[in-house]
Amino acid sequence: MSPDRRGTLTRVPPLNLGNQQPRTPLNADQVWRTTAGRAAGTVLFFDFDGTLAPVDDDPTAVRPAPKALAAIEALAPVVQRVAIVSARPVEFLRDQLGGLAGVDLYGLYGLEHSHSGGETVTEPAALPWVPTMAELADQARAELPPGTLVEYKRLSVALHWRTAPQLGSTVQHWGEAQADRLGLRVQAGRMVLELKPPVDRDKGMVIGEAIKGATGAWYFGDDVSDIKAFAALRARAAADPDFLGVCVAVANPETGQEVANAADLTIESPAALGDFLTRALTHLP
């Protein structure tokens, strides 16, 4: 499907996953109409940075696109669940969403979660790593060159070089060396490298668990970590022909075609996502 006149949606060739390719219709309106028939069993998943909110040089200054937020609020009562699955801590997401009701929050790739405004629950296996992460953040601030932004998240440390692209290789080399030294895991992203505890939680695992019992799910994401979420929908669709899984990429120049090629549909920006979701409401009960 080529870009429409509103410039919000394009069809891209899906990733070649053999029999794991889901049976989705060929355009967004058809998919939403199909979703309408199973809305009560459908889960909508959204990444935050780069998907609901534009990426900013200062990660603390990021704000969600207002129209996307309004559309999610309208969609939440219509579908089975709406969930935000992000590298951000749950408390950050809660603050950004302004008390939005009926939305589940998965923070730090699933190391934290909160359901429908309830308390934040931390993965027990990650808690012993909190002191290590605090020390690592202090070390990064002391050793990495000026221009590196060190974001401490209690259970992870993100090293950003967005305002100093020339530092990319230096920051990545330092981060990978520290991960090897401490036994941490590394998650690459858009001009960021994140160091995490060696705990088996990622977006794909979160999605795989959250769609048990669902009849359909959409996932909206913009970064390479979101490909694991796409894969979880592909796997469920392969195992259950009646399950409708839809993978949507939010375009950006930093991940090239990697995320878009893994998706069924591509949307141009977080602002365009708001328009897309608003139009979707016309198809849902």
Side-chain angles (χ1 to χ4, degrees):
M1 186 168 63
S2 60
D4 65 18
R5 292 185 182 274
R6 291 161 291 194
T8 59
L9 181 66
T10 58
R11 175 71 182 177
V12 297
L15 189 67
N16 183 11
L17 293 172
N19 63 3
Q20 291 192 10
Q21 182 64 27
R23 297 177 178 178
T24 54
L26 293 179
N27 68 64
D29 286 341
Q30 288 176 333
V31 183
W32 280 120
R33 284 195 290 270
T34 303
T35 297
R38 58 182 74 199
T42 295
V43 186
L44 303 180
F45 297 98
F46 300 88
D47 174 42
F48 184 78
D49 290 278
T51 301
L52 290 180
V55 171
D56 194 279
D57 289 348
D58 178 359
T60 66
V62 169
R63 298 291 181 270
K67 200 166 187 177
L69 211 56
I72 286 177
E73 186 172 20
L75 285 164
V78 176
V79 297
Q80 182 186 89
R81 295 174 66 193
V82 172
I84 313 300
V85 187
S86 172
R88 299 283 198 160
V90 163
E91 289 306 312
F92 175 89
L93 296 173
R94 185 176 286 123
D95 289 344
Q96 292 294 307
L97 295 175
L100 194 63
V103 176
D104 295 338
L105 305 176
Y106 293 90
L108 304 176
Y109 304 96
L111 293 178
E112 297 179 338
H113 65 268
S114 171
H115 295 291
S116 298
E119 66 175 324
T120 300
V121 177
T122 301
E123 186 72 24
L127 285 173
W129 292 90
V130 171
T132 299
M133 293 301 168
E135 292 170 5
L136 179 63
D138 289 340
Q139 183 183 354
R141 294 185 185 104
E143 296 183 4
L144 286 170
T148 308
L149 191 153
V150 178
E151 184 185 7
Y152 171 59
K153 306 181 186 179
R154 189 174 74 101
L155 293 175
S156 70
V157 176
L159 308 173
H160 301 261
W161 59 89
R162 177 169 298 279
T163 60
Q166 73 279 6
L167 298 179
S169 60
T170 299
V171 174
Q172 290 177 80
H173 178 76
W174 187 92
E176 289 165 358
Q178 300 309 313
D180 289 341
R181 178 177 69 85
L182 297 169
L184 303 174
R185 293 184 180 173
V186 172
Q187 176 65 61
R190 294 174 59 180
M191 303 185 81
V192 61
L193 190 76
E194 188 151 8
L195 305 181
K196 309 184 295 181
V199 177
D200 286 332
R201 296 300 291 168
D202 60 35
K203 291 184 177 183
M205 295 179 68
V206 168
I207 302 311
E209 293 169 2
I211 59 177
K212 291 178 180 177
T215 58
W218 291 62
Y219 187 94
F220 299 81
D222 74 303
D223 210 342
V224 291
S225 64
D226 297 309
I227 294 176
K228 290 183 178 180
F230 291 172
L233 294 189
R234 305 292 196 208
R236 174 64 190 278
D240 179 2
D242 293 328
F243 179 82
L244 177 69
V246 187
C247 305
V248 184
V250 179
N252 67 85
E254 293 161 6
T255 56
Q257 286 296 303
E258 186 175 5
V259 181
N261 286 343
D264 299 304
L265 303 167
T266 298
I267 294 172
E268 292 178 354
S269 66
L273 174 60
D275 294 331
F276 178 73
L277 295 174
T278 300
R279 293 205 304 276
L281 287 165
T282 64
H283 297 295
L284 297 178

